[in-house]
Amino acid sequence: MQPVRIESILFFLLFLLHLVNSYQEQENADNSHSTNNHTIHKSTFVLQTLSVLLATAGAIISAIYFDNTFNNTHQRMGLALYGAIWLQACIGCLRPHRGSRVRSVWFFVHWALGTSVSAFGIINVYTGLQGYKERTSKSVRVWTIMFTAEITLIAFLYLFQDKWHYIQKQGVILGNEPVSPTDQEIAPRDRPKEIR
């Protein structure tokens, strides 16, 4: 079951990569000249490189130790995913400068491909577990529960960190002025009557 471990580690690395990227976007929005930007950029590069290398290691292990007739969905989808991961890496290296006309097209393609790889990767792990069960007649219930728990935790943390900046601002009162409701918050019946 070593490939399951590799795929789980790969998903964890990709999750860390999403966290670092999201943090980098918040830093850029808050302070474009932050001293953390260089460190964050290096962390992003290291995580991306580790993810591609880990996926490549998984492909090599699969090629060496498993029957590669590509007669099942898991193998065919896995091969397509390995190709898509390398395509994603190549597209990332060809990133145009900010402000150029093709940057938005590049961003959409890069985002769509990355999201598709993540979604199909999750599906492929489940098809692989099912194939392992059919081939060996061993139960994969524990592995399925563990992988589902990992994906659920990653999804929760990803959604939570996406709103963390917003959550932090909820209790903050800007300035020393007393808090008073705005005109939009005052119901029409509570508004003072105008004297004519």
Side-chain angles (χ1 to χ4, degrees):
M1 289 302 284
Q2 185 152 350
V4 172
R5 289 185 204 134
I6 288 175
E7 290 166 343
S8 294
I9 293 168
L10 179 62
F11 279 114
F12 185 72
L13 276 175
L14 291 174
F15 167 67
L16 286 178
L17 182 61
H18 283 296
L19 285 179
V20 170
N21 280 339
S22 182
Y23 181 76
Q24 184 177 15
E25 288 173 8
Q26 285 181 359
E27 282 290 316
N28 287 341
D30 292 344
N31 183 6
S32 61
H33 301 291
S34 173
T35 56
N36 290 333
N37 278 347
H38 188 67
T39 305
I40 293 170
H41 183 69
K42 281 185 175 181
S43 300
T44 302
F45 179 76
V46 167
L47 287 171
Q48 288 171 338
T49 303
L50 282 174
S51 297
V52 171
L53 291 176
L54 189 62
T56 304
I60 291 169
I61 289 171
S62 296
I64 293 172
Y65 292 108
F66 297 110
D67 174 30
N68 293 310
T69 57
F70 298 102
N71 60 354
N72 64 47
T73 305
H74 178 71
Q75 289 176 333
R76 289 189 295 262
M77 190 182 290
L79 183 63
L81 284 169
Y82 292 133
I85 287 170
W86 273 98
L87 179 62
Q88 176 80 339
C90 292
I91 289 172
C93 291
L94 299 174
R95 180 178 66 184
H97 295 289
R98 286 189 189 269
S100 67
R101 299 173 118 194
V102 294
R103 175 69 181 233
S104 60
V105 173
W106 172 87
F107 179 80
F108 177 76
V109 169
H110 188 66
W111 171 82
L113 185 59
T115 303
S116 299
V117 165
S118 297
F120 284 114
I122 292 168
I123 293 167
N124 200 34
V125 170
Y126 286 114
T127 60
L129 287 170
Q130 188 62 33
Y132 181 80
K133 178 182 177 183
E134 290 171 4
R135 185 170 252 196
T136 63
S137 300
K138 292 182 180 179
S139 175
V140 293
R141 184 180 187 136
V142 173
W143 287 103
T144 304
I145 290 169
M146 287 173 46
F147 187 68
T148 303
E150 179 186 9
I151 296 301
T152 303
L153 178 66
I154 287 172
F156 172 77
L157 290 175
Y158 181 74
L159 293 172
F160 182 74
Q161 66 84 30
D162 186 43
K163 294 296 181 190
W164 180 246
H165 195 66
Y166 176 77
I167 291 168
Q168 286 179 321
K169 287 184 176 182
Q170 292 305 301
V172 176
I173 300 173
L174 301 175
N176 293 328
E177 315 82 46
V179 178
S180 60
T182 63
D183 289 339
Q184 295 172 348
E185 294 174 347
I186 298 174
R189 69 179 189 286
D190 296 336
R191 287 194 181 149
K193 294 184 180 175
E194 293 181 16
I195 302 173
R196 293 187 189 208

